[in-house]
Structure formats: structure tokens, C-alpha cells
Amino acid sequence: MAEPANRRAETREKILTAAGQLFREHGIDGVGVDAVMKQAGLTHGGFYLHFASKEALAAEVTQTLLQRAAEQWQALSQSGDRAAALNTIVSRYLDPELVASGQCCPLTTLGSDVARRGASRAAAGGALRGMLDALCRCLPGRKRQRALTALSTMVGAVVLARLSGDAALSAEFLKAAADSVLPVRPSRAA
Amino acid sequence: MAEPANRRAETREKILTAAGQLFREHGIDGVGVDAVMKQAGLTHGGFYLHFASKEALAAEVTQTLLQRAAEQWQALSQSGDRAAALNTIVSRYLDPELVASGQCCPLTTLGSDVARRGASRAAAGGALRGMLDALCRCLPGRKRQRALTALSTMVGAVVLARLSGDAALSAEFLKAAADSVLPVRPSRAA
DNA sequence: TGTACATCAGTGAACGCGCGTTCACTGATGTAC
DNA sequence: TGTACATCAGTGAACGCGCGTTCACTGATGTAC
């Protein structure tokens, strides 16, 4: 089935996706190669056909996730309506369901993992700058300062929402952050 | 030397201190029992005279660090001058040297470790409430909302400062967060 | 169309290192007489 | 004051499990003739 030409590339992608989910949920050290491969529908032996080591996988996963997040923000920020773009960025980032599922921004779920792994830090720096750029483009007022604060507030809110272990308090953090970052409430709500 | 009565308690304390430093620097999974004991000036075998397991040590370390942070904030917030208290809380929390050394708030250094360990999550919830209380007491205006945002901003700034891997960008995050949280710049600076 | 062979992604048993944990032993301190 | 003994914190060698990594093998797909 399917052209065999890109079968290899497809399974590689499957492994990356599986690792992206599991690493964010349980931390890089909390997930074994066998668990990643199982989630991808394979057995652990084949892993080294696609990656040189678990560490290499971890570096690629964090880099991919960070880059994707930055690119999404950039694309949104370059669309026509900047207020709408900001609204989309913020409400996606602070979506309670995403946060609860653990499939949220890798900065918040893999923060300390990334901070301690040299391989991922460079990627993190690049992604950070991209996200700041995007925010600068969307925000009114003193832009750089506001962008730095907005990003800090959003990241902190997600970290704290995940930590609090209490749905009500989590929701409070996310809501307060959204209200603080969005300059005025969108008036289009039904 | 020293009364033998509390020698045991003293070494226990030494182990906790050593673990507090190393866990924040390298993550709980990144530090072995032998490294902790070495840092405490002991050999690894004696560890189990003081703690039932590494997991028990991790739980006690995070609980102790979180509780201490919350209590410090509470004490400050109950002193006479609330503006000064807020200023102290914020500038200590966002101190670039502390952040660079890794000996900063356990919420930022152990965030994902704590979020994933049941034992520590309850402690984290309690500490969070204590810190929010303290901020509420110091802040003017719509307090609860402002306290939630202020805490998110500070935590996020420290997380991002540690991630960015670039001293200049780190400093920008910390400075922007301080300016955003403190209502007006303190006028007493020389 | 059919047979023989090459290629290669994936399998699963096995290896070995690191680390949490155990345990028999040491050596220092305090007590009994 | 001095000797024998009990207590107990700490030592370091050893154990065993988990997990990252390797490797001989399988089986499916594509190509040659």
C-alpha cells in the first residue's frame, strides 16, 4: 500500500508526532523509546532506523514544535486584521482544554527540559524571537515592552494553570491572562 | 563534636539543602541520590537512614521550597508598608543573578516536575494560594485579577529568561515584567 | 505471466550501563561499673 | 580514672531493575529475466 518511496518518511513523521504528544505530557525523561514507538504503532527496535538516539529525537521534537508555534503566530500576525490575529493567538494559547490535555505550547510543558538541554536551547531562542515579533506586529502601544510582558503573562498563566491542579483556579489564571493581554474585550461575542 | 542529639536532624537538613540546589539546577530526574549525598558531604549509602526513597525526598524538597516562598511573601505582605513589600517581593523574584544561578522560585525551575508528580501537586496548590493572598494584600485596584496576572507575568518572565539562553533577552524579560507588575516606579532610587 | 533474487522497513531477543536500593560492617560517642 | 560494652550515623560493596541501544532475522515489495 502507498508508494514505498515515502513510507520511511511517513513513519519518521509518526514517531515525531507520537513523541511530541508523550514528551509534553510526561516530560522527556518520563517517556521511554519503547513507549514512543508503541504509540506510533511500531516496536522499539526500529527506532534507530530513523533517529541516532533518544537525545536526537528530543532535540528534533522540541525544535519542530517550537518552530511550528512561532510560524503560526507569524502567519497570523501578517494577516490583514491585527486585532483579530491577536485575539486568535491569545485565545488559542490560553484554551483551557488544550492546557488540560497537555498538548499546549512546548515552552510551558518542556520548559525545564529545554532549558537544561543544550541542543534545544538554540531552537528555543529562535522561536522566542519569532513569537515576540509576531506579538509586536499585533499589539498597539509601546510594542516591545508590551510584547515581552504579554508573552511572559501567557506562558506563566499556562504553567500555573497546569500546576494548580484545580480546575477553578486554572480557569482563573487563564481568564485573567487573556483579559490582561487583550487590550479591549472583543465585542463580537454572541 | 556538637550534641549528638540533633546530629541526625542536622544531616537530614544538609541533604534537603543539597537536593534543593541540585534539583532546581538539573531537574529531579537529572540528579542521582549519590550526587545529592556527595553535595551534602556524605556517601550515598546513608541516604536511606533519612528518607524512605528518592521520591519521598523530591516531595519533601518541593514542598519545603514552595512553602518557604509562600511564607516569605506572606510575612512581607503583612508588614507596614505595602508598596515597599510589593517592591521587595517583585525585585527579589526577578533578580537576574538568582535566575541565572537557578536558585530561583521552584515554580519556575521544577514546574513540570511538580505538575507531573502527584505528591508535590497538593503542596503547589497551597503555595500558589498563599502567594496570591500576599499579592492581593500588596496590590492596589481590582486585586484578585491583578494578583493572578502579576503572578503569571513573574513566573512566565523567569521561565522565559532561563529559556532564552541569551543574557540580553533574559534581562529584557525580567525588566519588562517588573515594570509591568509594579504600579509606579519607586521614586527612591538614587 | 511466472520464478528467483535484491532491497529494506520493521521485529523482538539480548546486552550493558546507570541508578535506586540494600546490607554487612566500621568507628565514633555515650553509659555502666 | 579506666575498661568493657551498647548505640547508631555513616560507609562502600553489591544487587537488580529499567531503559537506551544493538543485531540477527523476517517478510513484504519491487526488479530482472
Side-chain angles (χ1 to χ4, degrees):
Chain A
M1 50 203 81
E3 327 78 294
N6 44 7
R7 197 172 110 196
R8 221 187 117 108
E10 277 168 20
T11 41
R12 198 185 138 91
E13 209 56 39
K14 265 190 228 162
I15 296 173
L16 278 170
T17 304
Q21 282 180 31
L22 293 176
F23 285 172
R24 279 186 282 179
E25 216 169 317
H26 304 109
I28 294 173
D29 291 326
V31 178
V33 168
D34 59 340
V36 171
M37 293 301 277
K38 198 172 189 180
Q39 168 96 351
L42 300 162
T43 54
H44 64 279
F47 176 77
Y48 295 87
L49 247 68
H50 300 280
F51 298 92
S53 65
K54 185 189 175 186
E55 208 52 40
L57 171 68
E60 191 162 338
V61 165
T62 52
Q63 166 146 9
T64 305
L65 289 174
L66 286 165
Q67 198 173 317
R68 189 185 306 160
E71 282 168 2
Q72 281 179 0
W73 285 27
Q74 300 246 22
L76 280 167
S77 77
Q78 280 157 0
S79 71
D81 186 344
R82 291 176 178 188
L86 182 64
N87 201 45
T88 304
I89 287 175
V90 172
S91 54
R92 260 194 214 165
Y93 199 93
L94 298 171
D95 176 6
E97 278 185 38
L98 265 189
V99 170
S101 77
Q103 302 309 307
C104 47
C105 177
L107 289 175
T108 65
T109 50
L110 297 175
S112 31
D113 285 309
V114 170
R116 291 177 194 117
R117 288 171 204 254
S120 304
R121 278 184 79 152
L128 273 186
R129 279 169 232 276
M131 293 165 96
L132 284 174
D133 273 1
L135 284 178
C136 275
R137 232 173 266 123
C138 295
L139 283 167
R142 264 181 313 166
K143 298 192 168 193
R144 177 86 181 164
Q145 157 102 3
R146 281 208 63 182
L148 289 160
T149 306
L151 188 55
S152 294
T153 305
M154 289 197 286
V155 167
V158 172
V159 167
L160 292 171
R162 297 187 74 234
L163 265 174
S164 72
D166 167 343
L169 189 52
S170 285
E172 265 194 301
F173 275 116
L174 298 175
K175 178 96 176 16
D179 288 348
S180 149
V181 171
L182 293 173
V184 206
R185 283 291 193 72
S187 52
R188 67 169 90 156
Chain B
M1 52 203 79
E3 327 79 293
N6 43 8
R7 198 173 109 196
R8 220 187 116 109
E10 277 169 18
T11 39
R12 198 185 138 91
E13 209 57 38
K14 264 191 231 161
I15 297 172
L16 277 171
T17 305
Q21 281 180 32
L22 293 175
F23 284 173
R24 278 185 284 179
E25 216 169 317
H26 305 108
I28 294 174
D29 290 327
V31 178
V33 168
D34 59 339
V36 171
M37 293 301 277
K38 198 173 191 179
Q39 168 97 349
L42 300 163
T43 53
H44 65 277
F47 175 77
Y48 296 87
L49 248 68
H50 300 279
F51 297 93
S53 66
K54 185 189 175 187
E55 208 53 39
L57 171 68
E60 191 162 336
V61 166
T62 52
Q63 167 146 10
T64 305
L65 289 174
L66 286 166
Q67 198 173 316
R68 190 186 304 159
E71 282 167 3
Q72 281 179 359
W73 284 27
Q74 301 246 20
L76 280 167
S77 75
Q78 280 157 0
S79 72
D81 187 344
R82 292 176 178 189
L86 181 64
N87 201 45
T88 305
I89 287 175
V90 172
S91 52
R92 261 196 215 164
Y93 199 93
L94 298 171
D95 177 6
E97 278 187 38
L98 266 189
V99 171
S101 77
Q103 302 310 306
C104 48
C105 177
L107 289 175
T108 65
T109 49
L110 297 176
S112 31
D113 286 310
V114 170
R116 291 176 195 120
R117 287 171 205 254
S120 305
R121 278 184 78 152
L128 273 187
R129 278 169 233 277
M131 294 165 96
L132 284 173
D133 273 1
L135 285 178
C136 274
R137 232 174 266 124
C138 296
L139 283 166
R142 264 180 315 165
K143 299 192 166 190
R144 177 83 181 166
Q145 157 102 3
R146 282 208 61 182
L148 289 160
T149 305
L151 188 56
S152 294
T153 305
M154 290 197 287
V155 167
V158 172
V159 167
L160 292 171
R162 299 187 71 235
L163 265 175
S164 74
D166 167 344
L169 188 52
S170 285
E172 265 195 301
F173 275 116
L174 298 175
K175 177 95 176 16
D179 287 349
S180 149
V181 171
L182 293 174
V184 207
R185 281 294 192 72
S187 53
R188 67 169 88 156

